[in-house]
Amino acid sequence: MNDKAMDPKNVVVALDIGTTKVCAIAGAKNEYDKIEIVGIGTVRSEGVSRGVVSNIDKTVKAIKEAIEIAERNANMKFKIVHVGIAGQHIKSLHHHGLLMRNDPNNEITEEDVDKLIRDMHKLVLPPGDKILHVIPQEFTVDDERDIVDPIGMSGGRLEANFHIITGQITASRNILRCIEKVGLEVADITLEPIASSSAVLSNEEKEAGVALVDIGGGTTDITIFKDGIIRHTAVIPFGGNVITKDIQEGCTVMKDQAEKLKVKFGSALSDEIYDNRVIIIPGFRGRDPKEISEKNLAKIIQARVEEIFDYIFWEIRRSGFERKLIAGMVLTGGGSLLRHINLLAEYHTGLTTRMGEPIEHLAHGYDGSIASPIYSTAIGLLMYSIDNKEIQDAAEAESILAGEKEVFTIEGDEGDNIEENLEMEDEGNKWYKKVFTYTKEFFEAQPDSEF
């Protein structure tokens, strides 16, 4: 591991708070622009239901344990974390924006685009919901359509289509409270499907058209890309836990036994079971053991997985990109580890399917266990946070070099020195680099009267 990655100033910590696990992962980029993992801590999650915090104390305990394990592995203390947000409360909608410019001969500036984005934040939403991300789709300048970046063009009428992602503020605030109770500070909150896409999708796939399906313990996240832009997002309130519950009820076994059956013997396609073995489960306190055939187990699993893919395909159709996904579908998350699930996905949706593992951006010598789809969200959050940190650091350094930041020392009434930071906006930073920025100050600024 190189000195650059080991420098605590370069280390970023990401926190994935999921339904089945809480994962803290710390890392930094090396000189080859690859991610070096310096510490990782994973513990069982018991206070989260379908991606939403349902028990503060249990979630705080899990976060604390995960952070402590990661700190021991990294041999350093953490103060700031970058956290992901997901859950069935996440929704999306599309909206059209229009801006009439005073002088059509002047060039369209970043301020014009920002004004359009700010107008989207004025949309009326259901009580308790707030806009998380406003993602531009394509722009129209006068009669010129399908423009990706209108800055520098001339025109009197600037229009844009936006994909808007919303979520409940209460869910976000509960996450913040849990992390603050651990004694950590939240740098920013990122939508987890966006983070996962950074870890498992290539730029070519995003350009060609692809549906990323992240099957977690409590929910399944769907993110559709086309022409390098997020076109559709959705959350299905089913994940790996409902499959476990079906096995538990269908085979009349304990929850832990059902989970072991799913992981060790489970298959998403019963037709792929040729050697129909009999699985013996020990009975309680002298009772006779139970016998379950592997094929019957697969039939129970297949029925539920087919239902999940029915919902997935319905969302893909609803997006209007069903026939535009040249790269097909990519499965990731813990639920994608189910045997033959990629085959069932292809049979059920007609889309070519591959498994998404977060290994492309990792430096050589990584622990093989973190190459699993289980860690796609955590590694994606880490990558996304590192990239955002580099953008912010570069913008700050550029503004200092350009003389855009000045520090004045003013003599106070009582002889105290008061430092005033005057910062001008960094013109060099493109507007699209800050589209996904979402900090905890946003939540803290919301009045309690909204609930």
Side-chain angles (χ1 to χ4, degrees), residues 56-306:
I56 295 287
D57 291 338
K58 287 182 178 179
T59 306
V60 168
K61 182 174 179 289
I63 293 172
K64 188 175 182 181
E65 289 177 4
I67 290 290
E68 286 175 351
I69 295 170
E71 285 179 337
R72 284 198 300 271
N73 291 340
N75 197 25
M76 61 180 73
K77 286 288 183 182
F78 305 143
K79 295 180 181 178
I80 300 173
V81 295
H82 301 256
V83 67
I85 184 169
Q88 62 183 17
H89 65 95
I90 301 293
K91 302 182 182 73
S92 66
L93 58 101
H94 288 84
H95 201 75
H96 185 79
L98 170 64
L99 175 67
M100 297 303 298
R101 303 180 68 242
N102 295 330
D103 189 351
N105 295 319
N106 283 346
E107 291 184 355
I108 294 171
T109 64
E110 185 179 338
E111 290 180 5
D112 294 324
V113 177
D114 285 343
K115 187 176 187 308
L116 264 180
I117 293 174
R118 284 195 302 271
D119 286 344
M120 294 301 104
H121 285 273
K122 298 175 184 177
L123 291 176
V124 178
L125 299 174
D129 282 4
K130 264 302 184 190
I131 291 174
L132 302 181
H133 298 301
V134 176
I135 306 170
Q137 302 293 283
E138 59 275 319
F139 294 88
T140 300
V141 179
D142 292 339
D143 295 323
E144 196 70 33
R145 298 177 179 275
D146 297 330
I147 297 168
V148 177
D149 187 358
I151 295 174
M153 299 180 67
S154 297
R157 191 176 73 252
L158 178 63
E159 301 176 68
N161 294 319
F162 292 97
H163 179 65
I164 300 169
I165 302 171
T166 68
Q168 290 181 357
I169 296 182
T170 50
S172 307
R173 282 185 169 174
N174 285 337
I175 290 174
L176 292 173
R177 287 193 184 103
C178 291
I179 296 171
E180 287 168 357
K181 280 177 179 284
V182 177
L184 296 170
E185 182 183 341
V186 178
D188 53 38
I189 295 182
T190 305
L191 189 67
E192 290 190 353
I194 295 175
S196 299
S197 67
S198 301
V200 300
L201 295 182
S202 67
N203 291 331
E204 290 79 9
E205 285 176 319
K206 293 178 183 179
E207 191 71 28
V210 66
L212 175 66
V213 178
D214 189 340
I215 307 173
T219 59
T220 297
D221 301 328
I222 304 167
T223 313
I224 294 176
F225 287 83
K226 178 66 176 174
D227 299 326
I229 299 170
I230 294 177
R231 301 295 185 173
H232 185 76
T233 53
V235 178
I236 298 170
F238 298 113
N241 284 356
V242 293
I243 300 173
T244 303
K245 189 175 181 181
D246 285 354
I247 296 171
Q248 184 182 352
E249 294 177 355
C251 301
T252 58
V253 294
M254 297 293 292
K255 185 178 179 180
D256 288 346
Q257 292 174 330
E259 183 67 23
K260 289 176 182 176
L261 283 171
K262 181 183 74 174
V263 172
K264 192 170 183 180
F265 301 102
S267 170
L269 268 180
S270 59
D271 289 343
E272 291 294 317
I273 305 298
Y274 302 109
D275 183 14
N276 190 16
R277 295 174 295 180
V278 174
I279 306 161
I280 298 175
I281 301 172
F284 289 109
R285 295 209 171 198
R287 293 178 177 85
D288 292 336
K290 291 186 177 180
E291 295 184 353
I292 300 167
S293 75
E294 196 172 358
K295 199 171 190 70
N296 286 340
L297 175 65
K299 286 179 179 178
I300 294 171
I301 293 171
Q302 182 174 341
R304 178 61 80 173
V305 176
E306 284 180 346

Side-chain angles (χ1 to χ4, degrees), residues 23 52 66 101 126 149 195 201 245 314 342 360 386 401 434:
C23 177
V52 178
R101 303 180 68 242
D149 187 358
L201 295 182
K245 189 175 181 181
W314 182 83
N342 56 326
E360 184 180 346
I386 289 172
L401 289 172
K434 39 182 196 175

Side-chain angles (χ1 to χ4, degrees), residues 19-32:
T19 303
T20 56
K21 73 178 188 315
V22 173
C23 177
I25 185 166
K29 270 190 180 179
N30 61 20
E31 64 266 32
Y32 305 107

Side-chain angles (χ1 to χ4, degrees), residues 424-442:
M424 294 180 64
E425 187 177 355
D426 176 19
E427 296 289 344
N429 199 13
K430 297 291 282 182
W431 62 269
Y432 53 79
K433 287 182 179 177
K434 39 182 196 175
V435 165
F436 297 129
T437 302
Y438 191 60
T439 62
K440 73 166 189 172
E441 284 78 9
F442 175 83

